[in-house]
Amino acid sequence: MRAPLAEPAERGRLDIHPGVLRKIVERAADGVPGTLRNERSIAGIDVGEYGSSARVTVGTGAPAPVDVRLELTLRYPTAVRAVVEAVRAAVAVEL
């Protein structure tokens, strides 16, 4: 027979590195219709693609606040406000 679990606050804590949060945010943003991935080249040689770029800062407190700064490319023409709202929603779901 198993012993009952301790209360959630007494079980410990989970710390997620800001670099992992950054990747989660970028992936969520890149999956929203209306955002674009760009080709990357060095000296005219194709070296892949890149999408959104995020900077994540984690504050102090419980729960710790997370500040996200996100740069991304949108399709043209597009309804910018609608796409931005969809990106915000997707990021909020993932975080």
Side-chain angles (χ1 to χ4, degrees):
M1 204 171 190
R2 288 185 161 184
L5 290 175
E7 291 298 317
E10 297 174 9
R11 292 184 204 164
R13 69 182 222 187
L14 173 66
D15 292 324
I16 302 173
H17 192 274
V20 174
L21 294 174
R22 178 184 55 81
K23 289 179 182 180
I24 291 169
V25 167
E26 291 171 348
R27 184 173 176 96
D30 287 342
V32 172
T35 62
L36 289 176
R37 296 186 59 79
N38 298 306
E39 292 181 10
R40 180 179 297 177
S41 64
I42 297 176
I45 299 171
D46 183 23
V47 292
E49 293 183 331
Y50 68 96
S52 61
S53 174
R55 187 173 61 192
V56 175
T57 306
V58 179
T60 59
V66 176
D67 180 49
V68 176
R69 306 235 182 227
L70 183 64
E71 293 182 17
L72 50 95
T73 305
L74 303 181
R75 294 188 190 280
Y76 179 85
T78 193
V80 174
R81 289 182 183 179
V83 174
V84 169
E85 188 59 37
V87 167
R88 285 182 178 151
V91 169
V93 166
E94 294 300 320
L95 289 182

